[in-house]
Amino acid sequence: MNHALVPIALKTPDRAYTILIGEALIAQAGALIAQECGPKRLLIVTDENVAGFYLAPLESSLKEAGHTLLPSIVLPAGEKIKSFDFLQELMARLFDRAVDRGVTLIALGGGVIGDLTGFAASITLRGIDFIQIPTTLLAQVDSSVGGKTGINSAFGKNTIGTFYQPRLVLADTKALETLPRRQLLAGYAEVVKYGLIQDAAFFAWCSENAHALLAGEGAARITAIQKSCAYKAALVAQDEREAGSRALLNLGHTFGHALEAEAGYDNEALLHGEAVAIGTIMAFDLSVAMGLSPAAEAHAVREHFMQAGLPTAPAAKTYDVDQLMAFMAQDKKAKAGQLTLILTRGIGKAFVTANVDPAPVRALWEQVVKS
Ligand code: NAD
Ligand code: GLY
């Protein structure tokens, strides 16, 4: 078994923390948390699926290392819990357990649990500590790192939230063994994103190693997660609050978020990573249509996604273009009603651009949802 423990440091103006990546870290979590943060009073928040696999092993590891545990909170699984209703439910359960400022929350799960728990940590008693133990590929390569927290609302995806960094991130690659294949693939969309944004060589690595990574080859997984977290840590360190370069991480997301909102955040219909994959293809296609990117590069990306098994267009053709445009206008990067998008001059050459003309965007949606 590969026990490689790859640490990455992330430093923002007022927080520094470590991202540890390796096999079987949940079993070692108690000792690792004690080493990084000292003995703690801890409260695990997780979902029903993840609890079935990892709650008992995590609780044992924490107790064995001498931490004090408050009773864990298990929520339903799925994007629907990133909502005001479930935020209130979570807060009620935290106060039932007499949470105080000395308690550290542990988000054990995918991006949904991480985003919701991080948000709750950021507003409970004006802010308590939290630790991320991501269990999906998407959460290990993206959402557990960088401190974006929040919920969805009638105003759009992730429109209510905070920037609030965790104290520690423990990414256990062994947890990916129980992750359904569809979820694994959805997370892969966020891995390949880093190559598409800024490193054509990493895109080439992905093209060569996607099969091994998705098949469960340990070294490929560690490399993919380590490279992804290193790219993300560097961008977050430069621009924690997304005033500029951090927005590159949103490649494909403005399109993808609109699709998710139109799909009613229904995970059966569309996963976040699937929406990002479709959105990434759209960002490349728009860049080609605007004369920015060579068509051959967009074609190479589409081919790779298809070979990996990622969607390149929405399956259902019932999306409403006016609604999709309205959701895009609610995007957090939009200013004074003008779209800001991540476009590209080719693989590894993404850039952020404001005041995007909506006409070619609408034309692309018409083509995508009606073809
Ligand atoms: P998720 O949290 O819904 O997890 C996917 C599914 O897999 C769930 O049903 C979950 O119960 C199950 N699961 C999780 N780990 C498992 C495991 N090891 N074995 C078996 N089942 C497991 O989805 P996700 O894709 O991890 O996260 C998507 C969310 O992340 C979206 O809400 C998105 O907006 C958010 N996100 C946030 C950031 C950020 O920077 N904060 C970045 C990217 C995405
Ligand atoms: N996932 C985008 C970001 O963290 O900025």
Side-chain angles (χ1 to χ4, degrees):
M1 205 192 324
N2 178 3
H3 284 286
L5 196 65
V6 185
I8 292 171
L10 196 159
K11 195 166 179 344
T12 64
D14 48 23
R15 182 65 61 96
Y17 59 96
T18 306
I19 303 150
L20 291 175
I21 301 155
E23 272 194 12
L25 297 198
I26 289 176
Q28 305 165 53
L32 294 171
I33 291 171
Q35 184 186 302
E36 296 284 330
C37 313
K40 288 277 163 199
R41 277 193 300 135
L42 300 166
L43 196 166
I44 303 166
V45 181
T46 189
D47 75 29
E48 286 166 355
N49 295 337
V50 178
F53 293 111
Y54 305 111
L55 182 56
L58 178 59
E59 286 177 340
S60 304
S61 165
L62 298 176
K63 281 182 197 153
E64 270 169 34
H67 301 287
T68 305
L69 286 195
L70 278 70
S72 301
I73 296 175
V74 181
L75 297 170
E79 188 74 29
K80 62 182 177 295
I81 67 165
K82 275 181 61 174
S83 65
F84 274 118
D85 285 352
F86 277 98
L87 176 67
Q88 185 162 347
E89 169 73 26
L90 173 56
M91 302 298 292
R93 295 208 212 169
L94 291 177
F95 285 104
D96 274 353
R97 286 155 176 74
V99 65
D100 62 47
R101 283 182 170 160
V103 171
T104 298
L105 302 186
I106 295 182
L108 172 69
V112 165
I113 281 292
D115 283 10
L116 178 69
T117 306
F119 186 37
S122 73
I123 56 176
T124 297
L125 304 168
R126 298 210 169 90
I128 60 174
D129 287 346
F130 85 114
I131 290 170
Q132 291 268 21
I133 305 191
T135 61
T136 62
L137 181 60
L138 182 139
Q140 295 187 355
V141 299
D142 190 352
S143 64
S144 64
V145 172
K148 278 190 182 174
T149 82
I151 56 172
N152 307 319
S153 73
F155 318 110
K157 171 89 177 162
N158 296 333
T159 38
I160 313 287
T162 53
F163 288 100
Y164 193 70
Q165 301 294 340
R167 287 280 165 186
L168 174 68
V169 180
L170 299 179
D172 181 346
T173 56
K174 203 165 166 48
L176 302 180
E177 287 173 10
T178 55
L179 191 65
R181 168 109 187 153
R182 185 179 167 200
Q183 296 287 351
L184 196 66
L185 255 176
Y188 177 68
E190 302 276 21
V191 174
V192 75
K193 173 183 86 175
Y194 295 103
L196 297 177
I197 291 171
Q198 61 183 38
D199 188 352
F202 185 59
F203 177 73
W205 182 91
C206 286
S207 303
E208 277 166 31
N209 292 280
H211 181 72
L213 192 166
L214 293 166
E217 211 256 90
R221 284 191 175 172
I222 297 260
T223 301
I225 298 165
Q226 195 265 336
K227 294 276 280 181
S228 299
C229 290
Y231 289 125
K232 182 154 184 184
L235 281 166
V236 171
Q238 271 169 31
D239 177 26
E240 182 186 17
R241 300 272 163 153
E242 203 170 274
S245 57
R246 181 172 180 163
L248 289 168
L249 293 167
N250 260 212
L251 175 66
H253 283 57
T254 309
F255 295 103
H257 286 166
L259 280 169
E260 285 184 274
E262 257 288 88
Y265 304 113
D266 172 6
N267 281 164
E268 290 301 316
L270 189 67
L271 298 177
H272 173 72
E274 293 170 344
V276 167
I278 297 164
T280 300
I281 296 295
M282 291 184 69
F284 268 84
D285 285 349
L286 184 63
S287 302
V288 172
M290 293 171 76
L292 296 165
S293 167
E297 306 237 336
H299 180 71
V301 178
R302 184 179 258 102
E303 282 289 297
H304 175 58
F305 279 24
M306 287 167 73
Q307 272 168 18
L310 282 170
T312 55
K317 302 290 181 189
T318 52
Y319 293 96
D320 179 295
V321 171
D322 287 335
Q323 269 302 326
L324 288 161
M325 291 298 290
F327 281 125
M328 285 185 89
Q330 290 175 340
D331 182 63
K332 292 182 291 308
K333 297 180 297 303
K335 289 202 182 84
Q338 300 294 304
L339 282 178
T340 294
L341 288 181
I342 319 311
L343 296 178
T344 181
R345 297 192 175 83
I347 293 167
K349 296 178 192 158
F351 62 97
V352 185
T353 182
N355 301 322
V356 176
D357 178 2
V361 178
R362 176 176 281 276
L364 182 61
W365 276 124
E366 300 282 357
Q367 197 182 313
V368 165
V369 305
K370 291 190 179 147
S371 60

